[in-house]
Amino acid sequence: MKRIIIVLTLSGILLSCNSREKRNNTEKEEIMETKTQLSNKEKVVALLTSLETGDQKPVSYINPNKYTQHNLAVADGLEGFGALLQNAPERGFKAKVVRTYQDGDYVFAHTEYDFFGSKVGFDVFRFENGLIVEHWDNLLEKKASNPSGHTQTDGPIEVKDLDKTEVNKSLVKDFVSTILMKGELDKLANYFDDDNYIQHNPAIGDGLSGLGEALGEMAAQGISMVYSKNHIVFGEGNFVLSISEGTFADEPTSYYDLFRIENGKIAEHWDVMEPILSESEWKNKNGKFNF
């Protein structure tokens, strides 16, 4: 009898241990899944990089039933994205994500592409419940270093001053409105630390002096750069992206301007200007902006 009791007791202990071990293993698996779960930034990097690697997994980060496309040269929905990949040149696409930032449900990325030619672009993705549901972008041909030796993508990447995000966004909104839209150039000193300003536009040198020279040359050639509407401003810490529309040389243009803010002043600038396709060439009806 004692023997039977001992056997039953041992069996109970073993079952209890097995049950506990299974629970522990399940908890460990759940913890591992949580640790390995990608952030929205990481999903964007993976998706853009998949243009080069051909990895199919990142496509699952796009909501298959709801994906609104604002690149006017690409058809709407996941089908449009698939058609784009199918039309890749023999050597394929290349994509090197240089910097990514997040503002709420939006992630914006600054990327170097070989995408039907060498290009530099800004992409904006909107997420819902961890899936991408909307996309905007601006692309420009990659060009040689500017008069100050800066490329279109080099420079700082690290996010700082997260607690100043909203203040920095307000600064950029005011700059775009006051200087770029209204042309109140006498107020430039409100936004810059003297002539300390690093410029990545391929045609413009550093400092307000470089900007002044470039604008003077454009005026001499009868070229106008007009900002008529600021659609939205995104930011994370010291990096702020402004998206506007207007005209360049009288041609409808989309302006994406990325600013780095330091000590309450604009310290650095990257941009991509893209002509807006005429409506007859649109492959979707979502518009270039519509945030």
Side-chain angles (χ1 to χ4, degrees), residues 139-282:
L139 297 168
L140 176 71
E141 289 182 6
K142 193 173 182 179
K143 300 183 179 180
S145 300
N146 69 12
S148 296
H150 305 300
T151 72
Q152 290 159 278
T153 59
D154 66 358
I157 296 172
E158 181 186 359
V159 175
K160 299 179 180 179
D161 303 326
L162 282 173
D163 60 321
K164 297 178 181 176
T165 296
E166 292 306 318
V167 172
N168 290 338
K169 286 171 66 175
S170 294
L171 175 73
V172 168
K173 284 180 185 177
D174 193 53
F175 170 75
V176 172
S177 174
T178 303
I179 304 300
L180 299 181
M181 294 177 65
K182 298 177 184 176
E184 298 177 7
L185 300 182
D186 58 309
K187 297 179 180 177
L188 275 171
N190 294 340
Y191 308 98
F192 298 93
D193 179 18
D194 295 326
D195 205 34
N196 299 313
Y197 174 50
I198 301 170
Q199 177 65 260
H200 294 270
N201 182 294
I204 304 175
D206 283 349
L208 295 182
S209 53
L211 178 61
E213 289 175 12
L215 293 176
E217 290 176 7
M218 286 170 50
Q221 298 174 44
I223 299 174
S224 62
M225 182 172 66
V226 177
Y227 281 65
S228 57
K229 183 176 182 179
N230 181 223
H231 284 275
I232 200 163
V233 171
F234 298 112
E236 183 178 12
N238 55 329
F239 284 91
V240 178
L241 177 69
S242 168
I243 298 176
S244 308
E245 72 173 300
T247 60
F248 183 78
D250 299 322
E251 184 175 15
T253 299
S254 171
Y255 295 101
Y256 278 49
D257 293 279
L258 178 66
F259 300 91
R260 181 175 64 83
I261 313 302
E262 187 174 300
N263 299 323
K265 303 288 184 179
I266 295 173
E268 199 158 1
H269 170 251
W270 300 259
D271 68 335
V272 168
M273 297 163 45
E274 181 183 324
I276 300 174
L277 288 177
S278 61
E279 193 166 352
S280 62
E281 298 178 89
W282 292 8

Side-chain angles (χ1 to χ4, degrees), residues 35 88 94 126 129 135 137 139 158 160 180 216 229 287:
K35 284 184 177 179
K94 294 194 179 299
R126 184 172 69 84
N129 301 318
H135 170 251
D137 66 354
L139 297 168
E158 181 186 359
K160 299 179 180 179
L180 299 181
K229 183 176 182 179

